[in-house]
């Protein structure tokens, strides 16, 4: 539902917002700056999510099962990064052809506004993704310490008390 709503909002904003962006260099500069910052933030998230430390301790089978989940996250983040780059490339092309081909410029503006809106709205999930990755990392460390201490499934051994 979120992706469908994001798609509909992006189409509406790209069509209705194009006159507001046309010839507005400050707005274009803000979009470029925002997506440059988001791209850097996303690279950091990819580095955190792709860290092998997130793989659970234990057998290679457990790590292999977890690997697929991590790879799927990385693929989603990669496509979001590509959407950022497409946004920036479309802005560049729109600035190049705006004067020479005004009709093309309008459509390029709509297109970059669509990608800017679409990828920005999808980016609203990035803080949650980073927090989830960090929580899984913490949980993996705690579980590893439990196993090292001989405590399985978070339950204390008979006769032990837990703080």
């Amino acid at each position: 539902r979120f992706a469908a709503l994001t798609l509909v909002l992006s189409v509406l904003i790209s069509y209705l917002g194009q006159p507001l962006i046309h010839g507005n260099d400050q707005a274009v500069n803000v979009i470029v700056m925002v997506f440059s910052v988001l791209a850097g933030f996303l690279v950091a998230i990819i580095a955190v999510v792709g860290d092998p430390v997130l793989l659970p301790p234990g057998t290679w089978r457990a790590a292999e099962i977890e690997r697929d989940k991590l790879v799927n996250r990385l693929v989603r983040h990669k496509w979001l990064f590509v959407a950022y780059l497409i946004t920036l490339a479309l802005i560049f092309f729109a600035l190049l052809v705006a004067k020479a081909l005004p009709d093309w410029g309008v459509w390029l503006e709509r297109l970059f506004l669509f990608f800017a809106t679409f990828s920005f709205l999808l980016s609203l999930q990035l803080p949650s993704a980073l927090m989830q990755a960090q929580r899984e990392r913490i949980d993996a460390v705690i579980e590893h310490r439990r196993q090292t201490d001989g405590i399985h499934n978070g339950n204390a051994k008979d006769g032990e008390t837990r703080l």
Side-chain angles (χ1 to χ4, degrees), residues 35-58:
F35 281 94
S36 298
V37 169
L38 283 173
F41 182 63
L42 187 56
V43 166
I45 289 175
I46 289 170
V48 168
V49 170
D51 191 344
V53 170
L54 287 177
L55 292 174

Side-chain angles (χ1 to χ4, degrees), residues 2-11 13-14 35 79-80 83-84 87 111-124:
F2 180 74
L5 180 62
T6 299
L7 187 64
V8 169
L9 280 173
S10 299
V11 168
I13 289 173
S14 68
F35 281 94
W79 285 114
L80 186 57
Y84 292 168
T87 301
L111 202 53
F112 85 64
L113 201 51
F114 168 81
F115 272 97
T117 304
F118 186 73
S119 55
F120 179 79
L121 290 174
L122 290 178
S123 298
L124 294 176

Side-chain angles (χ1 to χ4, degrees), residues 52 54-67 143-144 147:
L54 287 177
L55 292 174
T59 68
W60 64 269
R61 288 180 192 254
E64 190 171 51
I65 291 167
E66 190 67 21
R67 176 188 63 192
E143 185 60 30
H144 179 68
Q147 289 177 0

